Amino acid sequence: MLAFPHDFPLLFRKRRSLTRARAEQAGLAPVRIAMLGGPTTQELASWLELFLLDRGIKPVIYQSEYNKYFEDTVLDSSALVEFAPDLVYLHLTSVNLQVPNAANEEELEAAVRSRLDHFAAVWGAVWSALPCQIIMNTFETPALRPLGHLDASSFAGASHFVARLNRELVRAARINSRLLLHDAASLAATSGVAWHAPDRWYSYKIPTSPEADVVTGHSLASLIAAARGRSRKVLVLDLDNTMWGGVIGDDGPDKIVIGRETPRGEAYTAFQEYARRLKDRGVLLAVCSKNDDAMARRGFSHPDSVLRIGDFAAFVANWEPKHQNIEAIARQLNLGLDSFVFVDDNPAERHLVEAQLPMVAVPNVGDDVCRYPAIIDAARYFETISLSAEDAQRTALYAQNAEREALAQKFEDYDAYLASLGMVGEIDAFSPVYLDRITQLTNKTNQFNLTTRRYTKAEMEAVAADPEYITLYGRLTDVFGDNGLVSVVIGRRDDRTLHVDLWLMSCRVLKRGMEDAMLDALVLRARQAGVDRIVGYYIPTARNGMVAEHYSKLGFTQLTDDGPERTSWCLELAGEREYSPRNRHIRHANGGGGEKTGAGHT
């Protein structure tokens, strides 16, 4: 991954060669982006391409002519429709706004409403022709404020108008999941680079500095990557001089620097608070430290420690090389190494992990803890497009998994272990109450995902309402707690054949028999719909090799082998061949097909 923080001179010098090198990677996920600009977009598009390639995504970018976004959507969208984008990005900045000379609140509100109606017309034109997501910038504070500080409060103030307009954009995004905001206003205020570039505006109709375009391309790529399920999930933390000041093994747990009594202690406390906020929104925390395990754990019993042992999904403290320990943590959490970010004050440890595990993000945080939160935050590793109730419970869910693993070790027979879990599954057709979680899970699951198809919430709503589709979600609970909504299947009817467009499952419930229960329910629903055969597809990616034999294991017969493109599999339901339910350990909460039945029945 490209180093962070940005080395601007290197990026300006090497952009083309860096782009070429990353474009040659295997397993890039394609995405089609329509970039509709107020300003000229070519330069920004080139940075977006580089940063998306760096995240394993190969973009095909369509660009409107300068300031033709309205014409290309509302007046004649034929070229846009022909391009068929996966998402549309509206690149607008404050220079595209005409600031009203409002004399009172009514005139200001009328101007805000007029501008919002203008944007709503663009959104509506796109959505009437295409089922895609729209990303739109918030507007940065204008470069010039002729009214001085009064500009922020006067009805005629430019910054006042922009702030009001941004507030309305936020309202619009809250009520429409197809609209995502790229917070360019915050980016301009916090990036630390000179943002406005009037000379480039007059010469090229680019209102931002070259550095600002790099920052925008990087930030936008992180948002698009999040929408495509490519955000990081785990923050791995060193301890000594990273989470607290001092070396706990030498100084003792009572002497580590943490708390609010000294500037340095306050900085470590602030970093722990930042890490806890990440954990509270669903990022998993892990410890990887060269330390004695018992001594390392005592650091989190310090009365001023913000984080406690229970906040970590994995804790490894020993004297083994850190890259090996991070690999062990990945196995324990059942997550790919490309989900990990490693933070350590020691440059030698960072270099080792970076060299041995290039898929792990290793930001150059330096050795000043005051800068750690800002560097991690600006890198946008953990970008998300939505939050669900299950995000807040993620650490607890992994802790429950650790308990399950410990229990499994006590059983010689795996079936006996599964039976001891007392699993109950809720399997049913898509319900409005679960559509946010279904969409989120669909767009972030990469490993147990047969086709890696992504859907917007609007597309999910359309599928759920279409009688030609059979949809299933699966929830799973057991004696250790509620695993939440963990599996999604979408089947599309074509006469008497059901094509499985999507089948995915959270890796948290691997080897629990959930896929058997889902298949039983799918077969039942398919038979009720008059389906004679179910055809499933496996489309290989760099991340979903674990399910290459999924359909084979479930008793499907291979139909075609298109090599690296895909394989097709069939399960016949008609004729003499009888389908035998596969599920043996999950009791159905709802019968899996609308009937109350016990384990092993559909």
Side-chain angles (χ1 to χ4, degrees):
M1 192 170 180
L2 291 172
F4 194 87
H6 300 304
D7 182 340
F8 291 111
L10 175 71
L11 288 171
F12 294 146
R13 202 170 56 248
K14 300 281 190 180
R15 178 180 59 78
R16 286 192 175 87
S17 60
L18 290 169
T19 300
R20 281 196 300 271
R22 277 154 180 78
E24 293 173 358
Q25 301 171 90
L28 293 170
V31 64
R32 299 175 70 82
I33 302 169
M35 182 178 281
L36 309 180
T40 302
T41 56
Q42 279 82 358
E43 187 172 298
L44 177 59
S46 68
W47 290 117
L48 177 62
E49 179 186 19
L50 172 59
F51 288 116
L52 283 174
L53 286 169
D54 193 49
R55 291 172 181 267
I57 298 172
K58 182 175 178 53
V60 178
I61 301 177
Y62 165 97
Q63 297 179 67
S64 67
E65 293 181 22
Y66 162 68
N67 204 24
K68 294 291 186 184
Y69 68 93
F70 189 85
E71 287 83 347
D72 278 1
T73 52
V74 178
L75 301 184
D76 181 7
S77 63
S78 56
L80 184 65
V81 171
E82 184 179 358
F83 177 69
D86 296 306
L87 62 90
V88 169
Y89 168 54
L90 284 177
H91 178 57
L92 301 172
T93 78
S94 292
V95 299
N96 300 112
L97 298 175
Q98 290 185 343
V99 178
N101 188 24
N104 52 49
E105 187 166 2
E106 288 73 22
E107 290 185 13
L108 173 64
E109 294 303 312
V112 170
R113 174 51 54 191
S114 172
R115 206 60 197 163
L116 197 65
D117 289 345
H118 171 83
F119 297 138
V122 174
W123 306 334
V126 172
W127 288 328
S128 67
L130 299 162
C132 65
Q133 204 111 36
I134 295 177
I135 296 177
M136 180 168 174
N137 289 342
T138 57
F139 291 93
E140 79 284 4
T141 300
L144 301 177
R145 296 183 298 165
L147 298 180
H149 292 290
L150 193 60
D151 201 80
S153 57
S154 169
F155 295 124
S159 52
H160 188 186
F161 174 69
V162 166
R164 278 288 298 117
L165 187 57
N166 281 341
R167 204 152 59 233
E168 293 306 317
L169 290 176
V170 168
R171 290 182 203 274
R174 277 182 182 158
I175 61 175
N176 193 331
S177 61
R178 292 179 294 178
L179 176 64
L180 295 177
L181 292 185
H182 175 245
D183 195 4
S186 294
L187 208 58
T190 62
S191 66
V193 303
W195 199 261
H196 303 285
D199 55 330
R200 281 159 53 89
W201 175 246
Y202 300 133
S203 298
Y204 318 117
K205 296 306 177 191
I206 300 174
T208 42
S209 68
E211 291 81 4
D213 276 357
V214 172
V215 170
T216 302
H218 174 263
S219 174
L220 184 60
S222 70
L223 185 58
I224 294 173
R228 314 301 289 179
R230 296 295 179 116
S231 290
R232 307 267 171 173
K233 299 174 181 174
V234 187
L235 178 61
V236 183
L237 297 156
D238 171 50
L239 295 181
D240 294 333
N241 293 316
T242 300
M243 297 303 291
W244 52 64
V247 178
I248 194 168
D250 294 337
D251 303 332
D254 297 335
K255 301 294 184 183
I256 59 175
V257 180
I258 190 79
R260 303 192 184 279
E261 295 180 358
T262 66
R264 191 160 162 249
E266 196 163 10
Y268 284 109
T269 298
F271 183 43
Q272 288 203 11
E273 288 174 337
Y274 177 75
R276 187 174 65 180
R277 290 183 67 183
L278 289 177
K279 172 254 176 185
D280 289 345
R281 49 142 289 195
V283 175
L284 297 175
L285 303 183
V287 164
C288 179
S289 171
K290 283 188 174 176
N291 252 308
D292 174 77
D293 183 88
M295 181 61 77
R297 290 173 185 269
R298 290 178 66 184
F300 294 101
S301 297
H302 191 288
D304 289 327
S305 178
V306 174
L307 293 170
R308 299 297 174 185
I309 288 294
D311 291 319
F312 294 95
F315 194 106
V316 178
N318 57 32
W319 303 102
E320 300 300 320
K322 289 194 175 180
H323 70 281
Q324 294 180 10
N325 284 335
I326 292 174
E327 289 178 310
I329 291 171
R331 289 193 295 273
Q332 177 186 337
L333 299 179
N334 210 3
L335 290 171
L337 285 164
D338 54 2
S339 298
F340 284 64
V341 177
F342 174 61
V343 173
D344 196 316
D345 69 300
N346 187 329
E349 297 289 4
R350 293 199 299 265
H351 179 67
L352 173 68
V353 172
E354 201 169 25
Q356 297 298 317
L357 304 174
M359 62 293 285
V360 174
V362 186
N364 180 11
V365 294
D367 59 3
D368 181 0
V369 66
C370 296
R371 302 184 63 230
Y372 293 175
I375 291 173
I376 296 169
D377 204 69
R380 311 285 174 194
Y381 297 119
F382 305 110
E383 195 70 54
T384 185
I385 61 170
S386 65
L387 294 173
S388 69
E390 292 188 24
D391 292 328
Q393 301 299 319
R394 184 157 293 119
T395 299
L397 294 173
Y398 276 86
Q400 291 166 6
N401 259 359
E403 292 182 67
R404 293 183 188 98
E405 292 292 331
L407 177 64
Q409 301 303 317
K410 299 177 181 178
F411 287 86
E412 293 186 2
D413 180 72
Y414 195 72
D415 278 345
Y417 158 67
L418 292 178
S420 75
L421 291 177
M423 292 183 287
V424 178
E426 174 187 326
I427 302 174
D428 213 333
F430 287 2
S431 164
V433 72
Y434 291 136
L435 278 182
D436 281 335
R437 171 59 180 164
I438 288 169
T439 306
Q440 183 194 50
L441 189 65
T442 299
N443 290 320
K444 71 189 296 186
T445 302
N446 295 301
Q447 296 184 94
F448 197 115
N449 193 333
L450 275 298
T451 55
T452 321
R453 286 194 59 175
R454 308 302 190 189
Y455 292 76
T456 65
K457 186 180 177 185
E459 290 172 313
M460 283 296 188
E461 289 170 341
V463 166
D466 191 332
E468 293 305 309
Y469 284 87
I470 294 176
T471 63
L472 292 174
Y473 72 85
R475 295 180 58 95
L476 185 66
T477 59
D478 60 27
V479 294
F480 291 101
D482 187 354
N483 295 275
L485 195 153
V486 293
S487 187
V488 175
V489 175
I490 294 177
R492 174 176 43 84
R493 285 177 55 192
D494 179 9
D495 196 14
R496 300 182 74 83
T497 298
L498 185 73
H499 300 272
V500 181
D501 291 339
L502 183 73
W503 190 328
L504 59 88
M505 190 174 77
S506 168
C507 289
R508 292 201 310 268
V509 294
L510 281 178
K511 299 181 180 177
R512 305 273 294 279
M514 190 63 184
E515 58 270 44
D516 293 329
M518 293 295 286
L519 178 60
D520 289 351
L522 184 66
V523 167
L524 178 63
R525 299 292 175 103
R527 280 180 163 161
Q528 290 172 341
V531 167
D532 289 338
R533 63 198 312 241
I534 299 175
V535 176
Y537 304 94
Y538 168 62
I539 300 176
T541 70
R543 296 183 172 191
N544 70 353
M546 70 183 325
V547 290
E549 302 301 322
H550 171 76
Y551 285 114
S552 173
K553 291 176 180 175
L554 292 180
F556 284 61
T557 302
Q558 187 167 349
L559 291 176
T560 64
D561 183 355
D562 300 326
E565 298 299 323
R566 75 173 187 181
T567 54
S568 305
W569 304 77
C570 177
L571 183 67
E572 296 287 353
L573 302 181
E576 297 180 354
R577 185 173 180 180
E578 190 70 24
Y579 175 80
S580 299
R582 301 178 59 86
N583 169 41
R584 292 187 294 130
H585 298 292
I586 299 175
R587 182 169 59 84
H588 294 294
N590 60 346
E595 301 173 16
K596 298 282 186 185
T597 60
H601 298 273
T602 60

